[in-house]
């Protein structure tokens, strides 16, 4: 598991550098991404959780950690989300699906692409749900503060 963590950390930080993320938060984003990847691997391989559910849980974890880190380090949550979600993106499924289709095995290719699309949707749903909760809490807090200042 340590090797998996280190490689996921390196991949996350590398994409952070590639996307020109702020240098002072690269290691935090790397830790979030590596922990998300380890969670995904644990759920899929040790607990035999379906790929959609494992990706959803990993993206919920990544988004929650990203929102928390954004408040601690005074950065936008998107900076952490973009870096940290990279390891769980189903790139191999998309590549394999396209390769099967090009090799005229459209049934397997379609199945692989559908699985990758479902995993991508799970990732997007997880991030949107956590971001929506944090956004709603912030707006309610701002509204309550406005009401208090009017009194």
């Amino acid at each position: 598991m340590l090797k998996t963590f280190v490689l996921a950390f390196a991949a996350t930080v590398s994409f952070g550098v590639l996307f020109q993320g702020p240098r002072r938060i690269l290691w935090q984003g790397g830790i979030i991404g590596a922990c998300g990847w380890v969670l995904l691997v644990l759920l899929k391989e040790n607990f035999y959780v379906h790929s959609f559910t494992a990706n959803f849980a990993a993206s919920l974890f990544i988004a929650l950690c990203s929102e928390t880190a954004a408040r601690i380090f005074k950065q936008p949550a998107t900076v952490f989300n973009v870096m940290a979600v990279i390891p769980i993106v189903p790139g191999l499924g998309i590549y394999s699906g396209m390769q099967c289709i090009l090799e005229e095995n459209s049934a397997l290719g379609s199945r692989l692409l559908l699985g990758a699309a479902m995993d991508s949707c799970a990732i997007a749903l997880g991030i949107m749900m956590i971001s929506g909760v944090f956004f709603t809490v912030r707006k309610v807090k701002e509204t309550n503060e406005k009401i208090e200042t009017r009194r």
Side-chain angles (χ1 to χ4, degrees), residues 11-12 15-16 19 33 37 62 80-91:
T12 303
F15 274 96
F19 293 142
W37 174 252
I62 287 171
F80 295 100
N81 274 332
V82 168
M83 274 195 314
V85 81
I86 291 298
I88 67 171
V89 171

Side-chain angles (χ1 to χ4, degrees), residues 19-99:
F19 293 142
Q20 299 176 354
R23 296 215 183 267
R24 65 181 181 276
I25 56 107
L26 286 177
W27 68 272
Q28 294 96 335
I31 290 173
I32 295 169
C35 290
W37 174 252
V38 168
L39 177 63
L40 177 73
V41 170
L42 281 174
L43 289 174
K44 286 172 77 173
E45 294 180 4
N46 292 9
F47 296 103
Y48 306 107
V49 174
H50 188 271
S51 183
F52 180 88
T53 308
N55 275 292
F56 182 68
S59 68
L60 283 175
F61 173 79
I62 287 171
L64 183 62
C65 291
S66 295
E67 291 285 347
T68 305
R71 270 98 187 133
I72 293 170
F73 299 106
K74 307 221 182 324
Q75 293 288 323
T78 308
V79 174
F80 295 100
N81 274 332
V82 168
M83 274 195 314
V85 81
I86 291 298
I88 67 171
V89 171
L92 181 61
I94 294 169
Y95 176 82
S96 299
M98 290 304 297
Q99 184 178 13

Side-chain angles (χ1 to χ4, degrees), residues 6-16 83 86-87:
V6 170
L7 291 175
F9 177 85
T12 303
V13 171
S14 297
F15 274 96
M83 274 195 314
I86 291 298

Side-chain angles (χ1 to χ4, degrees), residues 50 52 90 93-94 97 101 106-121:
H50 188 271
F52 180 88
I94 294 169
I101 288 174
S106 60
L108 178 60
S110 297
R111 194 165 8 118
L112 289 171
L113 285 174
L114 182 60
M118 286 178 55
D119 291 346
S120 298
C121 289

